[in-house]
Amino acid sequence: PKMKEDNCLHAALICMGMLYYSHAFATEKVTHARPSLHGHHEKGKEGQVLHRSKRGWVWNQFFVIEEYTGPDPVLVGRLHSDIDSGDGNIKYILSGEGAGIIFVIDDKSGNIHATKTLDREERAQYTLTAQAVDRNTNRPLEPPSEFIVKVQDINDNPPEFLHENYHANVPERSNVGTSVIQVTASDADDPTYGNSAKLVYSILEGQPYFSVEAQTGIIRTALPNMDREAKEEYHVVIQAKDMGGHMGGLSGTTKVTITLTDVNDNPPKFPQSVYQMSVSEAAVPGEEVGRVKAKDPDIGENGLVAYSIIDGDGVDMFEITTDYETQEGVVKLKKLLDFETKKSYSLKVEAANVHIDPKFISNGPFKDTVTVKISVEDADEPPIFLKPSYIFEVQENAASGTVVGKVHAKDPDAANSAIRYSIDRHTDLERYFTINAEDGNIKTVKALDREEIAWHNISIFGVEVHKQHQEAKVPVAIKVVDVNDNAPKFAAAYEAFVCENARSNQQFITITADDKDDSANGPRFIFSLPPEIIHNPNFTLRDNRDNTASVFVRREGFSRQKQDLYLLPIVISDGGLPPMSSTNTLTIRVCGCDSNGSLLSCNAEAYILNAGLSTGALIAILACIVILLVIVVLFVTLKRQKKEPLIVFEEEDVRENIITYDDEGGGEEDTEAFDIATLQNPDGINGFIPRKDIKPEYQYMPRPGLRPAPNSVDVDDFINTRIQEADNDPTAPPYDSIQIYGYEGRGSVAGSLSSLESATTDSDLDYDYLQNWGPRFKKLADLYGSKDTFDDDS
């Protein structure tokens, strides 16, 4: 406390001395400044009087010390003009920055005082203007002149750091002198005047671990091999002092928290040399057996540890993985265990760092090993079948009680309990099989049909007699062996057709067969005729030896009048043991054919009807058809060449007019050129008038002509059919074009409905919307375009 009082006393004395010196210096300068408004007269050569002008105001800059707290205003300086004789007629006026508020002037004596305490850090200087005027008239006696009042700095501001607290990191075990962080302080005092703003940095707390450079504020490490695991965080206090660090200077401090970051300088280490574990023999692969952990004081990736099994008799039975969340090695079961075979295992486990820093490789190997001993515990195990699955065979149609096969299971435990067997009835819903509960023999309950079910898949349970909860399950596949018990049959319901004019030895059908039995008891098939009809006079059979047979005509000249249907029995045998055969019937119909063998009709009634007509009747029918055709052709020809109307129209009936291509008519009033009624389209009666002057939108293929029935006598149907085809064919070219008009005659009170002249009228209708109707209305849109378009074209 005494030292602090001495420091304060010294600072006060220094301030008072500087204040006194400044005040005396300013007063002396002002007092010696003598303003003058008169010229100085000198005589030159030859009696010439020379005039030398003198400056009205002569003084230096004024100074006033900041933070003055005395009872009286501070005298800044004194203004005095040479023309001031002291009679009080001159008045001094002060204006400018702070005039009248901070600085006041005695208008008689010219003394300037500062009435308020000044702070250089708020404002370093003031610019003022002084002027001498006549007190009575306020007439300026001198031109105004500017001067500056500077606020003289004192050490009244301590240094301040940019941040109250700093945080920095530096790696552990860094070398001495490693830069940690730079702290910076600032002083509001004038750096150009004295040492008020000259700062020096020093460390108050944090030694001997860190140091600071006095001029720059850079903090550096001061001790080697600082260990994060021993101490991670350090608190350092840095001081900045002005006045160059000398006594009486002001100071400021800041706190710096320095954290040592981790490096991999520690290897992993197991806390014990042996781990004891146990596992039940009933454990399944993948089940966790136990955990080991090597401790590494490093953190982050420097503390990551990977585990592996490097030796031991359980390398094939166990595995180890790394749990990176807990940094533990997890020992898991790799294969099934058997207590009766081996009761214990030994493993050698290694823990090694994942990331190794080469700088610290000399610290030793960054890994450690430990021994893990695992004992196998006996468990009450379920029975075990000697095979994982069974496959048996049994012939189809075997008698009930036939032995299919035998399954066997045993108790792996030392007790070796007896096993009882049963069938899972969910796999044998029809109860085809049964099993002996004592010895495991599987037998049939009913006859099996391979063609119905070829494979039976059932499951067998094995349960310990004294421990019903211990059971095992094994799949059993039973194949039903095929027996030749199905005769071959036609592959399809065949129906053959033979022409009346068929030639001898002509083939007309090829047949094949199908057998439900297996391929060993099926093909190859043998085709033959029954012995009783082997010399059939109508048909014969040939076996093609490829599981097909061909049927041939033995004679010529079949007649539907005599017999139109034949039934041919065919015997088909398979290649099984013993062979099976069946007799199948082939239906053969007699049909009428043309000379090329194309089928025309198999209807016996139509044939009999036509057969009743004589040759003369057929000739007469054909002659009538020819005559009718000639009449139709002549009628059409005359109709085209006819020029005069067949029907007389009334003179006033001028509603219809016919215009033909390549014929220049007599105008709209020429109604005598054609017979309108004769050329009238009959379709118009129904209200439908087809357009034949444009191409149809859809093209239809012309219907092929119907083949007339042989010896047909219905000529009227034939002609009507041809007319209907021509009328319904939209692709046929028009022979004429009929234009029908509703002519109103002369002098009609009704106006014209034509739009041919609408383009030249001054219509207000807007037809621009036709442009949006698509390409079909493009021509119409061009005709009824906008008025502007016609104007432009014109």
Side-chain angles (χ1 to χ4, degrees):
K2 185 175 182 180
M3 181 179 291
K4 291 184 178 180
E5 292 178 358
D6 293 341
N7 292 337
C8 294
L9 180 60
H10 292 158
L13 292 176
I14 292 174
C15 291
M16 292 179 65
M18 293 178 62
L19 180 63
Y20 176 79
Y21 175 80
S22 175
H23 182 269
F25 180 78
T27 303
E28 182 180 0
K29 287 185 176 181
V30 174
T31 304
H32 286 79
R34 308 302 301 173
S36 177
L37 298 179
H38 299 281
H40 180 71
H41 301 280
E42 294 183 358
K43 290 184 178 181
K45 294 181 179 180
E46 299 178 358
Q48 183 179 2
V49 178
L50 300 178
H51 297 276
R52 180 171 64 87
S53 298
K54 298 179 64 178
R55 293 177 59 186
W57 304 92
V58 180
W59 64 76
N60 292 326
Q61 293 179 341
F62 293 159
F63 294 89
V64 59
I65 194 167
E66 67 170 338
E67 302 294 347
Y68 175 73
T69 58
D72 300 324
V74 179
L75 177 63
V76 178
R78 182 181 180 186
L79 302 181
H80 188 75
S81 177
D82 291 342
I83 62 175
D84 187 1
S85 59
D87 54 2
N89 292 328
I90 294 179
K91 180 180 179 181
Y92 295 97
I93 299 175
L94 184 67
S95 63
E97 298 174 345
I101 300 174
I102 300 175
F103 302 101
V104 296
I105 188 171
D106 188 342
D107 59 357
K108 293 182 179 180
S109 62
N111 292 334
I112 301 174
H113 291 84
T115 61
K116 294 185 178 180
T117 302
L118 303 180
D119 188 356
R120 189 202 66 83
E121 287 70 37
E122 293 182 2
R123 189 166 192 140
Q125 66 181 23
Y126 297 84
T127 302
L128 299 173
T129 303
Q131 190 174 20
V133 299
D134 186 272
R135 183 176 295 274
N136 297 321
T137 63
N138 287 330
R139 182 176 59 83
L141 302 178
E142 295 285 347
S145 183
E146 288 186 352
F147 64 95
I148 296 174
V149 177
K150 286 190 175 183
V151 181
Q152 191 173 5
D153 182 53
I154 64 173
N155 189 17
D156 59 341
N157 291 282
E160 293 183 358
F161 284 92
L162 299 180
H163 302 285
E164 184 178 355
N165 294 286
Y166 289 84
H167 295 273
N169 298 323
V170 64
E172 64 173 331
R173 299 190 181 277
S174 297
N175 296 328
V176 176
T178 301
S179 175
V180 179
I181 191 176
Q182 182 177 11
V183 293
T184 304
S186 60
D187 196 317
D189 292 326
D190 188 0
T192 63
Y193 180 77
N195 295 327
S196 298
K198 185 177 181 180
L199 305 182
V200 174
Y201 298 93
S202 61
I203 184 169
L204 300 182
E205 295 181 14
Q207 294 176 328
Y209 306 104
F210 300 95
S211 62
V212 63
E213 292 184 357
Q215 305 300 325
T216 61
I218 297 176
I219 301 174
R220 300 182 182 274
T221 58
L223 284 180
N225 298 325
M226 285 190 291
D227 191 3
R228 185 199 66 83
E229 289 72 30
K231 185 176 182 180
E232 182 177 6
E233 192 173 82
Y234 295 84
H235 298 281
V236 179
V237 178
I238 301 297
Q239 174 184 265
K241 190 174 183 180
D242 58 14
M243 298 300 293
H246 294 93
M247 184 179 296
L250 303 179
S251 64
T253 60
T254 186
K255 294 181 180 180
V256 182
T257 301
I258 302 175
T259 302
L260 298 183
T261 58
D262 185 59
V263 297
N264 191 9
D265 58 341
N266 295 282
K269 193 74 175 176
F270 285 105
Q272 58 195 68
S273 59
V274 178
Y275 284 85
Q276 296 286 347
M277 299 179 184
S278 61
V279 60
S280 172
E281 63 172 338
V284 296
E287 186 173 336
E288 181 178 330
V289 178
R291 294 186 174 223
V292 297
K293 184 174 182 180
K295 295 183 178 180
D296 191 332
D298 296 321
I299 60 175
E301 67 175 12
N302 298 317
L304 294 180
V305 178
Y307 298 88
S308 61
I309 300 175
I310 60 176
D311 197 5
D313 56 1
V315 174
D316 298 332
M317 305 301 295
F318 300 92
E319 62 182 356
I320 189 169
T321 59
T322 303
D323 186 347
Y324 286 103
E325 292 184 0
T326 61
Q327 290 299 304
E328 293 177 322
V330 183
V331 180
K332 295 182 179 180
L333 184 62
K334 191 175 182 181
K335 295 181 180 180
L336 291 174
L337 300 174
D338 186 7
F339 173 79
E340 289 73 22
T341 303
K342 190 174 179 62
K343 297 179 175 57
S344 64
Y345 295 89
S346 178
L347 302 175
K348 188 175 183 180
V349 177
E350 179 184 79
N353 276 136
V354 178
H355 303 282
I356 299 176
D357 193 339
K359 297 179 180 178
F360 307 100
I361 195 67
S362 59
N363 290 5
F366 285 81
K367 57 186 176 180
D368 193 15
T369 59
V370 72
T371 301
V372 179
K373 293 185 178 181
I374 303 174
S375 59
V376 181
E377 296 178 349
D378 188 19
D380 188 8
E381 301 176 84
I384 299 176
F385 284 92
L386 299 184
K387 295 182 180 179
S389 63
Y390 292 87
I391 298 178
F392 300 123
E393 293 184 355
V394 62
Q395 287 189 344
E396 65 174 328
N397 301 325
S400 176
T402 302
V403 177
V404 177
K406 181 179 180 180
V407 297
H408 182 70
K410 66 175 183 177
D411 182 9
D413 297 325
N416 195 14
S417 300
I419 307 299
R420 293 185 62 86
Y421 304 94
S422 62
I423 298 177
D424 183 1
R425 289 305 173 185
H426 293 91
T427 61
D428 185 25
L429 297 176
E430 299 296 330
R431 296 183 177 272
Y432 289 105
F433 306 96
T434 183
I435 189 172
N436 189 307
E438 305 296 335
D439 57 11
N441 278 323
I442 302 174
K443 297 180 181 180
T444 60
V445 176
K446 61 180 72 173
L448 305 178
D449 187 1
R450 189 204 68 86
E451 287 72 37
E452 182 180 351
I453 301 176
W455 284 86
H456 293 266
N457 297 301
I458 64 175
S459 297
I460 304 298
F461 286 115
V463 182
E464 294 183 13
V465 175
H466 302 291
K467 298 177 182 179
Q468 298 292 331
H469 64 282
Q470 294 292 354
E471 67 177 13
K473 188 176 182 180
V474 67
V476 177
I478 301 174
K479 179 181 179 182
V480 181
V481 180
D482 183 50
V483 173
N484 193 17
D485 57 346
N486 291 279
K489 297 179 180 180
F490 277 157
Y494 292 108
E495 184 175 3
F497 302 90
V498 64
C499 295
E500 289 181 304
N501 56 356
R503 298 186 304 274
S504 178
N505 294 327
Q506 179 181 348
Q507 176 184 345
F508 61 90
I509 190 172
T510 300
I511 60 175
T512 184
D514 191 10
D515 194 332
K516 294 182 180 180
D517 291 324
D518 197 2
S519 59
N521 294 315
R524 114 169 156 81
F525 299 125
I526 301 173
F527 299 86
S528 64
L529 296 176
E532 59 271 14
I533 62 168
I534 193 170
H535 299 294
N536 188 306
N538 299 317
F539 306 101
T540 182
L541 180 71
R542 184 181 69 187
D543 191 343
N544 296 325
R545 299 181 181 277
D546 59 353
N547 297 323
T548 64
S550 300
V551 182
F552 295 86
V553 176
R554 174 168 283 186
R555 66 178 178 84
E556 296 180 357
F558 289 90
S559 176
R560 282 185 290 173
Q561 291 178 329
K562 296 180 180 180
Q563 185 176 353
D564 63 344
L565 183 65
Y566 293 88
L567 300 177
L568 180 64
I570 298 176
V571 178
I572 307 176
S573 301
D574 59 22
L577 292 176
M580 298 288 291
S581 64
S582 66
T583 301
N584 301 265
T585 301
L586 176 64
T587 302
I588 304 174
R589 294 186 180 275
V590 179
C591 301
C593 304
D594 58 12
S595 58
N596 296 325
S598 299
L599 186 66
L600 294 178
S601 174
C602 295
N603 192 345
E605 295 179 359
Y607 181 81
I608 294 172
L609 178 63
N610 292 335
L613 297 176
S614 63
T615 304
L618 294 175
I619 294 175
I621 292 173
L622 293 176
C624 292
I625 294 174
V626 171
I627 292 172
L628 290 175
L629 291 175
V630 171
I631 292 173
V632 171
V633 172
L634 291 175
F635 179 78
V636 173
T637 304
L638 291 175
K639 189 176 181 180
R640 290 183 178 180
Q641 295 178 354
K642 188 176 182 64
K643 298 298 184 178
E644 297 181 359
L646 299 178
I647 301 176
V648 179
F649 289 86
E650 296 181 1
E651 293 182 359
E652 63 273 10
D653 189 4
V654 290
R655 292 175 299 173
E656 297 175 341
N657 187 32
I658 302 175
I659 299 176
T660 61
Y661 297 114
D662 300 329
D663 187 0
E664 184 177 355
E668 293 183 356
E669 297 182 359
D670 187 3
T671 61
E672 300 296 325
F674 300 98
D675 184 1
I676 303 303
T678 304
L679 298 179
Q680 179 68 39
N681 192 337
D683 292 336
I685 299 175
N686 299 326
F688 172 75
I689 301 178
R691 295 289 303 275
K692 294 188 177 182
D693 57 337
I694 62 174
K695 183 179 180 180
E697 184 176 356
Y698 298 97
Q699 298 294 334
Y700 298 92
M701 295 300 294
R703 295 176 58 191
L706 298 176
R707 182 188 298 271
N711 303 325
S712 175
V713 296
D714 196 350
V715 179
D716 186 47
D717 292 342
F718 173 81
I719 295 175
N720 290 333
T721 301
R722 288 289 186 264
I723 293 174
Q724 185 178 4
E725 289 177 2
D727 291 341
N728 295 331
D729 187 3
T731 62
Y735 293 100
D736 53 20
S737 177
I738 300 176
Q739 308 293 335
I740 300 174
Y741 297 91
Y743 187 74
E744 299 178 359
R746 301 179 181 274
S748 174
V749 297
S752 175
L753 300 178
S754 174
S755 61
L756 297 178
E757 298 179 356
S758 60
T760 61
T761 62
D762 297 334
S763 176
D764 295 335
L765 297 179
D766 185 7
Y767 297 98
D768 291 341
Y769 61 86
L770 295 177
Q771 300 289 343
N772 301 327
W773 284 17
R776 291 188 177 183
F777 297 91
K778 183 177 186 303
K779 187 64 178 178
L780 189 62
D782 295 339
L783 292 175
Y784 292 91
S786 62
K787 184 176 180 181
D788 296 339
T789 305
F790 289 110
D791 295 341
D792 295 341
D793 294 342
S794 61

